[in-house]
Amino acid sequence: NNDSLTPPLLPPATLGMLGGGQLGRFFVAAAHEMGYRVWVLDPDPHSPAGRIADRHLCADYSDAAALAAIAEGCAAVTTEFENVPAATLDHLARFVPVRPSASAVGVCQNRILEKSFLAEHGLPHGEFAVIRSETDLVDVPDTLFPAILKVARFGYDGKGQSTVADRGEALAAFRQCSGEACVLEKRLTLDCEVSVVLARDQAGTVRAFPVAENRHRAGILDVSLVPARVAPALAEEAVALAGQIAEKLAYVGVMAVEFFVVDGRLRVNEMAPRPHNSGHYTLDACVASQYEQQVRALCGLPLESGAVHSAAAMVNVLGDLWFAHDTASAQEPDWGQLFAVPALKLHLYGKHQARRGRKMGHFTALAPLEDAEGALHAALSARAA
Ligand code: ADP
Ligand code: MG
């Protein structure tokens, strides 16, 4: 572990952010409020975080000149995007603290390494097989079907996944993957899905946010509800498992662990080496958001508690909403209606172009802490209106 304990980085230090999506944008906003400067590296000239950063390095993640500028100009570097090449993180770590480390991000960015990590450490996970060739598919047991074939790298929001009923369908789906390594997962019947977002500092202190209950639509997170409506013992176990994962990865920063609940028991689905969509609610319902915690972990400041002061229901706003009335051309939705709902916080990411399935924003309905149902009801009625 080359991330030795160093004195905290204080404002107005300049922080480097690899990735310029909405997660990076909220990090920039949190860092700005705390007095830091932020440089963002993202090849998209319209990147949401780049637009509000002190400097947007508009270049590829392995661009030598951009990396040299970051190594020179930033006091520490973090990421909001798990597909930043591990080589980029390794390279930068020679010059500045990089948190989380390349090795931790490397495990989370490849489903084969991720699942093998879980298996090696005896952490609960669903049945799976690594598929590198058609022969591998011949060898998988019948009990794995029905299944989901997922490409090992670069999948998100359900992309790169095919639902397959049997071996024949799996073979056909694998042939579509042009030789990419995949994992084949048994399709589980889920009671529900939950996630834990936590921060871990260099000394190993972990501060977890409460467990979120997550509902997906077409492979994309749709609604997150906090507190999750699960047994307290199950919530405690989820937090404990997430903490173990962070410790075993020697993780420094904010990470998320997604779980399936199957027959009342937890199975780890996947890890994200960054703040998480299901942790957006922390912006409005917590003492410190997941983004403030990310700044704190990166800079070596003491972590805040993950305490919530309100129940919260977060709804993702997808680009589909722009096409609700006219299927051919995008039309800005009428935000006035959402702003009129009390205790509802709308966040828009300033994305250049609305596309179907693209995350454009989210809103969070708040209610008294003991009234999760009330928050959910408020969020769903706001969406229906
Ligand atoms: P992504 O990287 O796109 O988030 P996930 O592996 O988390 O990929 O899959 C997205 C969603 O698809 C999950 O949250 C879950 O709703 C569903 N899903 C994925 N794998 C399984 C499985 N093995 N059994 C049942 N549902 C699954
Ligand atoms: Mg997922």
Side-chain angles (χ1 to χ4, degrees):
N1 187 357
N2 61 4
D3 190 16
S4 50
L5 273 167
T6 45
L9 286 170
L10 296 172
T14 299
L15 310 176
M17 169 51 80
L18 306 177
Q22 61 270 17
L23 301 172
R25 181 177 168 101
F26 286 121
F27 173 88
V28 174
H32 278 171
E33 282 181 3
M34 297 165 78
Y36 293 93
R37 297 176 182 140
V38 187
W39 292 6
V40 166
L41 174 62
D42 189 304
D44 174 5
H46 303 293
S47 104
R51 289 179 51 176
I52 64 164
D54 295 272
R55 184 172 174 196
H56 176 196
L57 295 141
C58 187
D60 193 78
Y61 294 112
S62 43
D63 183 88
L67 297 185
I70 289 171
E72 171 80 22
C74 296
V77 173
T78 190
T79 173
E80 61 108 47
F81 173 55
E82 61 261 47
N83 293 321
V84 169
T88 291
L89 300 172
D90 260 335
H91 173 77
L92 288 172
R94 289 162 43 199
F95 308 98
V96 283
V98 174
R99 299 168 184 147
S101 69
S103 62
V105 175
V107 170
C108 303
Q109 70 185 190
N110 181 318
R111 292 188 195 276
I112 296 173
L113 298 182
E114 186 174 51
K115 292 261 187 299
S116 311
F117 168 89
L118 296 173
E120 266 163 40
H121 290 95
L123 296 157
H125 58 82
E127 202 186 327
F128 74 99
V130 174
I131 309 296
R132 295 181 199 279
S133 68
E134 293 186 15
T135 342
D136 289 339
L137 265 177
V138 176
D139 297 335
V140 302
D142 287 331
T143 53
L144 211 55
F145 297 99
I148 303 180
L149 186 75
K150 303 182 180 179
V151 289
R153 296 217 48 195
F154 302 115
Y156 70 98
D157 287 348
K159 293 187 174 66
Q161 301 192 9
S162 317
T163 302
V164 294
D166 52 36
R167 203 179 302 268
E169 285 188 22
L171 202 57
F174 182 67
R175 287 184 180 139
Q176 299 291 306
C177 295
S178 29
E180 289 280 343
C182 292
V183 297
L184 186 68
E185 287 183 30
K186 187 180 175 70
R187 208 186 312 157
L188 303 168
T189 304
L190 312 180
D191 303 350
C192 68
E193 294 183 67
V194 297
S195 59
V196 173
V197 176
L198 61 74
R200 186 172 181 276
D201 69 14
Q202 292 175 83
T205 305
V206 170
R207 295 278 181 256
F209 291 105
V211 176
E213 175 185 337
N214 302 323
R215 253 199 240 164
H216 294 77
R217 236 194 218 181
I220 307 179
L221 182 65
D222 183 31
V223 179
S224 285
L225 179 62
V226 174
R229 296 166 297 177
V230 295
L234 187 117
E236 270 169 43
E237 193 194 346
V239 169
L241 285 168
Q244 284 172 34
I245 291 172
E247 191 189 324
K248 292 188 162 116
L249 290 169
Y251 198 91
V252 180
V254 169
M255 75 174 293
V257 180
E258 298 177 11
F259 295 91
F260 297 141
V261 183
V262 180
D263 296 330
R265 293 171 54 193
L266 289 167
R267 309 240 179 129
V268 177
N269 169 24
E270 59 173 355
M271 293 95 81
R274 49 168 173 77
H276 195 257
N277 193 168
S278 70
H280 280 336
Y281 79 88
T282 62
L283 285 163
D284 302 303
C286 291
V287 173
S289 72
Q290 60 175 347
Y291 308 101
E292 176 174 343
Q293 292 288 63
Q294 189 180 21
V295 174
R296 286 174 173 269
L298 177 62
C299 294
L301 302 175
L303 297 175
E304 276 281 8
S305 97
V308 281
H309 51 67
S310 299
M314 189 259 355
V315 174
N316 270 335
V317 175
L318 299 185
D320 306 57
L321 202 57
W322 274 247
F323 300 94
H325 298 293
D326 180 347
T327 50
S329 65
Q331 240 176 50
E332 195 70 24
D334 175 10
W335 302 119
Q337 295 191 33
L338 282 176
F339 283 123
V341 181
L344 184 138
K345 305 292 179 177
L346 174 64
H347 300 265
L348 294 169
Y349 309 149
K351 289 192 181 173
H352 188 57
Q353 219 177 23
R355 271 189 264 118
R356 284 197 170 75
R358 189 176 203 196
K359 292 170 181 169
M360 302 298 290
H362 73 268
F363 58 84
T364 302
L366 300 173
L369 192 49
E370 61 289 347
D371 191 16
E373 297 286 348
L376 182 60
H377 182 255
L380 296 181
S381 3
R383 166 155 74 189

